[in-house]
Amino acid sequence: MSEKRMLFVLREVEPWNMPDDIYRLNPSGSLPIFVYDGNVIAGNYAISEYLEETDKENKLMPEDPKARAEIRRLIEWFDTKFYNEVYKNIVAEKVQKRFGKGEAPDSRILKVGFNNLNYHMEYIDWLCERNNFLVDTGFSTADLAAAAHLSIVDYLGDVPWDSYKNAKLWYSKIKSRPSFKELLKDTIKGILPAKHYTNLDF
Amino acid sequence: MSEKRMLFVLREVEPWNMPDDIYRLNPSGSLPIFVYDGNVIAGNYAISEYLEETDKENKLMPEDPKARAEIRRLIEWFDTKFYNEVYKNIVAEKVQKRFGKGEAPDSRILKVGFNNLNYHMEYIDWLCERNNFLVDTGFSTADLAAAAHLSIVDYLGDVPWDSYKNAKLWYSKIKSRPSFKELLKDTIKGILPAKHYTNLDF
């Protein structure tokens, strides 16, 4: 929304303690939810496509359908594959499990997550070496999706940046965008971010 | 693709026995993959949006961005929520586990799946009572996504249609479409479909 120069107010919700009114806004009970002028747009997929369709000025996808398909393939990669292989094993294990269930993370599950993360970092590194951004048509919603997923793992200090120079250079470009600088000020209550988290040089 | 009057050839792949060349077409190794004229479009999300963007005649989404957002919300519902709550507990348990691991389904997991399925059927029934189709703008990709997910559970004979009259009427309309009649001829090797599976009256 910042990339599209929209003004908005964020509402904080703890996913492990979902308030009842969320189900009135989105029957699936999941986030994100975008509310404006009495309209409700629910879910990553619907919101990102809606913002792109209704904004004619700050486009985050090119016109060419094949280029758009490549961007959407990568968004699905991060929302599904990265989520299942990395997020669930690292972030859900360290954050949701702690605040939702009061339990400590299982080191075997974390190890699976770290191994998978290396595989994903290799892929990001390879894409960024060829394209500067994730796709060859420039900065897009694919970069935002990837960086959003990565930043929470980075908050926990678990991204091995130094082994992936192209990915690191790409992420420093994303971090320096005004939209992303604001996001990096956000914190998880009770967990301090890794020391390098908000640094543009890391 | 049939709804868009495209001619195509299907290639059969067993998800529990993925051939290596699938990874060359889609690095995530997941299906579906759409190949034409040397182009590769990979994943539900990219393919369905690509087909809709490049076909001007047989539209499966209306022009209005809010109506499109509602369709996409429901597609995400079925691809994520239905998939995790129903498909994984019933289809993955009965089919993938059998052919992939040679194991019998776990009745406790199946029971969770059947309970979740009732909740999803209630929601489909409620939507169809208001709209005839899943959204009030008529037949759309949301109906195709929902029917695709449901049909595999129906193949196994596990959908309690008689408790959900509006959902049943909706599904009989989907089944009578030429595009869907062809799909219903498809079978899973080694598992016979439920007796009513291809019947338009069920």
Side-chain angles (χ1 to χ4, degrees):
Chain A
M1 290 164 80
S2 296
E3 288 288 340
K4 294 187 167 298
R5 298 175 195 204
M6 296 168 71
L7 293 175
F8 55 91
V9 177
L10 289 173
R11 176 175 162 201
E12 193 176 319
V13 171
E14 292 173 339
W16 47 88
N17 190 16
M18 205 68 91
D20 282 345
D21 71 328
I22 294 296
Y23 290 86
R24 280 202 302 280
L25 295 171
N26 184 9
S28 81
S30 63
L31 303 171
I33 303 173
F34 169 48
V35 181
Y36 75 102
D37 293 345
N39 297 300
V40 179
I41 312 283
N44 271 349
Y45 172 28
I47 294 171
S48 66
E49 294 285 345
Y50 180 86
L51 295 180
E52 189 66 13
E53 281 177 358
T54 53
D55 170 28
K56 305 295 172 206
E57 282 173 30
N58 305 288
K59 286 297 195 188
L60 295 172
M61 291 204 281
E63 293 280 318
D64 174 44
K66 274 190 277 183
R68 296 162 75 86
E70 176 63 1
I71 290 167
R72 289 172 175 136
R73 177 184 74 80
L74 287 168
I75 293 173
E76 190 174 347
W77 175 288
F78 287 98
D79 284 352
T80 304
K81 192 173 174 70
F82 187 94
Y83 179 83
N84 285 320
E85 297 176 355
V86 178
Y87 181 96
K88 273 193 183 172
N89 292 318
I90 298 179
V91 183
E93 205 52 31
K94 284 190 173 182
V95 183
Q96 261 100 322
K97 206 167 169 183
R98 172 168 166 193
F99 293 111
K101 300 182 179 174
E103 289 173 17
D106 181 329
S107 62
R108 287 162 304 180
I109 296 176
L110 289 176
K111 200 178 166 189
V112 170
F114 298 144
N115 284 341
N116 292 341
L117 176 58
N118 273 303
Y119 165 76
H120 282 273
M121 291 306 294
E122 260 176 51
Y123 189 52
I124 294 169
D125 201 64
W126 179 76
L127 290 170
C128 294
E129 186 179 9
R130 296 160 72 222
N131 301 327
N132 286 313
F133 290 102
L134 295 189
V135 297
D136 61 8
T137 48
F139 180 74
S140 74
T141 39
D143 297 293
L144 290 174
H149 281 284
L150 264 178
S151 75
I152 173 91
V153 184
D154 191 42
Y155 186 97
L156 301 172
D158 291 330
V159 180
W161 291 114
D162 289 335
S163 307
Y164 304 99
K165 302 289 177 199
N166 303 302
K168 187 175 178 177
L169 182 63
W170 161 79
Y171 193 60
S172 71
K173 280 185 281 189
I174 305 290
K175 266 178 140 175
S176 66
R177 297 182 80 87
S179 68
F180 220 76
K181 276 188 196 162
E182 277 304 307
L183 282 183
L184 294 175
K185 293 180 188 164
D186 211 9
T187 56
I188 305 171
K189 238 182 284 176
I191 300 183
L192 287 174
K195 276 185 187 161
H196 68 270
Y197 178 65
T198 55
N199 290 357
L200 297 185
D201 285 321
F202 54 103
Chain B
M1 290 164 81
S2 296
E3 288 288 341
K4 294 188 167 296
R5 298 174 196 205
M6 295 167 72
L7 293 175
F8 55 92
V9 176
L10 290 173
R11 174 175 161 198
E12 194 175 319
V13 171
E14 292 173 340
W16 47 88
N17 191 16
M18 205 68 90
D20 283 344
D21 72 329
I22 294 297
Y23 289 87
R24 278 202 303 278
L25 294 171
N26 185 9
S28 82
S30 64
L31 304 172
I33 303 171
F34 169 47
V35 180
Y36 75 102
D37 294 344
N39 296 300
V40 179
I41 312 284
N44 271 350
Y45 172 28
I47 294 171
S48 66
E49 294 284 344
Y50 180 86
L51 294 179
E52 189 67 13
E53 281 177 357
T54 52
D55 170 29
K56 304 296 172 205
E57 284 175 27
N58 305 288
K59 285 295 193 190
L60 294 172
M61 290 205 281
E63 292 281 318
D64 174 44
K66 273 190 278 183
R68 295 161 76 85
E70 175 64 0
I71 290 167
R72 290 173 175 135
R73 178 185 73 81
L74 287 168
I75 293 173
E76 190 173 348
W77 176 288
F78 287 99
D79 283 351
T80 304
K81 194 174 173 69
F82 187 95
Y83 178 84
N84 284 320
E85 297 176 355
V86 179
Y87 181 96
K88 272 194 185 173
N89 292 316
I90 299 179
V91 183
E93 207 48 35
K94 284 190 174 183
V95 182
Q96 261 99 321
K97 206 167 169 182
R98 174 169 164 192
F99 292 110
K101 301 183 180 174
E103 289 174 17
D106 180 329
S107 62
R108 288 163 304 181
I109 296 176
L110 289 176
K111 201 177 166 189
V112 170
F114 297 144
N115 283 342
N116 291 342
L117 176 58
N118 273 301
Y119 165 76
H120 281 273
M121 291 306 295
E122 260 175 50
Y123 189 52
I124 294 169
D125 201 65
W126 179 77
L127 289 170
C128 295
E129 185 179 10
R130 296 157 75 221
N131 301 327
N132 286 313
F133 289 101
L134 294 189
V135 297
D136 62 8
T137 46
F139 179 74
S140 74
T141 38
D143 297 293
L144 290 174
H149 282 285
L150 263 178
S151 74
I152 174 91
V153 184
D154 192 41
Y155 186 97
L156 301 172
D158 291 330
V159 181
W161 291 112
D162 289 335
S163 307
Y164 303 100
K165 302 290 178 197
N166 302 301
K168 187 176 178 176
L169 182 63
W170 162 78
Y171 193 60
S172 71
K173 278 185 283 191
I174 305 290
K175 267 178 137 174
S176 67
R177 297 181 80 88
S179 68
F180 221 76
K181 275 188 196 164
E182 278 302 307
L183 281 184
L184 294 175
K185 292 180 188 164
D186 210 10
T187 57
I188 306 170
K189 239 183 285 177
I191 301 183
L192 287 174
K195 276 186 187 159
H196 67 271
Y197 179 66
T198 55
N199 290 357
L200 297 184
D201 286 323
F202 55 102

